[in-house]
Amino acid sequence: MSERSPCPPHPVLPDYYLTKGEHRQFVRSIFDRTACYYDRINSVFSLGSGKWYRRWMLRMAGLRAGQTLLDVATGTGLVAREAATITDMSNIIGLDMSAGMLRQCRSKLPIQAVLADAQLLPIAPASVDMLSMGYALRHVQDLRATFSGYLKALKPGGHVLILEIGRADNRIVQFLLRFYLGRVVPLLSGVAASQESRTLMAYYWDTIEECVPPARILDTLQSVGFSNVRKHTSFGVFHAYMGERPL
């Protein structure tokens, strides 16, 4: 694949949208409609493991006290909340394309919240020490364009952290993952939250099933200019992609 050609994280999913042009609107709309339920959905999904894992990965990726962080696709601020235990709250910017999600974030965290697309960052070049993205890479249009923008936003020597869930290599683990995320979580989300929440989690699982392999994500990070690109995997399915903007 040419370095200039688009690199979508997954193919078009006709159960939810029919063209790439409809993808962005679908994502914005489904998150707007489920924003008030999202933390409840997340508690079902993560089984209480989310907080310590996010904090651990932020530290592993290089976040330190006093540094600035841009949390892309911040949602209700789950990653930003853990970052605030490491650096000052005033140093954190949360960015999301969903106005509904940002309203929830602002009600929970006194951070700067910006309404914008992950591929069109309204951030000055070389202005942040770290850029994070939690479980939202599958919702962008183009991995290469997204990562190029991330590299530009970081200061030289700055770090990127992208948290994602991927298919398991182990067949048993993948079967359990498919059963839990593909069936149990959508069902519980529909009961505990709303029918729209059930649709969100069904879409969430389908994007995991159809997502490009980790090697493609790592290669794309390297191709746009990140150095020291690496991946830390926990429990076979939780991937933390990390890299640095060269000095």
Side-chain angles (χ1 to χ4, degrees):
M1 180 180 291
S2 167
E3 290 194 0
R4 293 186 177 182
S5 61
C7 183
H10 55 74
V12 168
L13 300 174
D15 286 346
Y16 308 98
Y17 58 92
L18 296 177
T19 67
K20 292 180 180 178
E22 294 175 357
H23 181 210
R24 181 179 290 129
Q25 179 55 36
F26 169 80
V27 171
R28 179 185 291 113
S29 177
I30 193 67
F31 279 105
D32 277 345
R33 298 195 305 270
T34 58
C36 62
Y37 303 112
Y38 192 79
D39 283 357
R40 194 184 310 171
I41 299 169
N42 182 74
S43 66
V44 172
F45 157 70
S46 66
L47 297 175
S49 65
K51 290 184 177 182
W52 66 264
Y53 178 73
R54 295 184 193 99
R55 194 177 308 173
W56 178 31
M57 289 301 106
L58 284 164
R59 290 189 182 279
M60 181 180 289
L63 185 63
R64 300 292 181 263
Q67 291 187 332
T68 53
L69 170 74
L70 173 62
D71 185 37
V72 177
T74 194
T76 61
L78 295 174
V79 173
R81 207 170 302 169
E82 300 313 310
T85 68
I86 301 171
T87 190
D88 297 335
M89 191 84 73
S90 59
N91 290 339
I92 301 172
I93 301 171
L95 180 148
D96 205 286
M97 69 185 299
S98 165
M101 284 291 193
L102 283 183
R103 281 194 294 272
Q104 294 296 315
C105 181
R106 291 188 181 104
S107 71
K108 301 171 189 295
L109 291 173
I111 64 173
Q112 182 180 350
V114 178
L115 181 65
D117 192 295
Q119 287 185 209
L120 300 169
L121 301 180
I123 302 295
S127 61
V128 295
D129 295 300
M130 178 178 278
L131 188 150
S132 60
M133 185 182 214
Y135 309 108
L137 189 63
R138 289 164 288 107
H139 308 321
V140 304
Q141 299 279 305
D142 184 348
L143 296 178
R144 186 169 291 111
T146 300
F147 292 159
S148 294
Y150 290 2
L151 185 74
K152 184 178 179 180
L154 287 169
K155 297 176 182 178
H159 299 81
V160 65
L161 169 66
I162 298 170
L163 302 177
E164 260 307 340
I165 300 176
R167 294 173 57 87
D169 293 331
N170 183 287
R171 291 183 180 180
I172 296 176
V173 174
Q174 180 63 16
F175 172 80
L176 294 174
L177 187 69
R178 180 183 292 112
F179 177 74
Y180 183 66
L181 289 186
R183 296 188 179 185
V184 175
V185 171
L187 178 62
L188 292 179
S189 296
V191 172
S194 68
Q195 183 59 42
E196 293 284 8
S197 302
R198 183 171 185 170
T199 299
L200 172 63
M201 295 315 297
Y203 164 75
Y204 196 94
W205 169 250
D206 287 345
T207 60
I208 293 173
E209 282 267 81
E210 299 293 334
C211 191
V212 298
R216 174 76 63 81
I217 296 172
L218 292 168
D219 288 346
T220 307
L221 282 166
Q222 289 180 320
S223 74
V224 303
F226 279 100
S227 64
N228 193 22
V229 173
R230 59 209 188 273
K231 174 175 68 73
H232 182 278
T233 300
S234 301
F235 309 111
V237 296
F238 293 97
H239 303 311
Y241 300 92
M242 308 177 204
E244 299 169 13
R245 178 173 177 174
L247 292 170

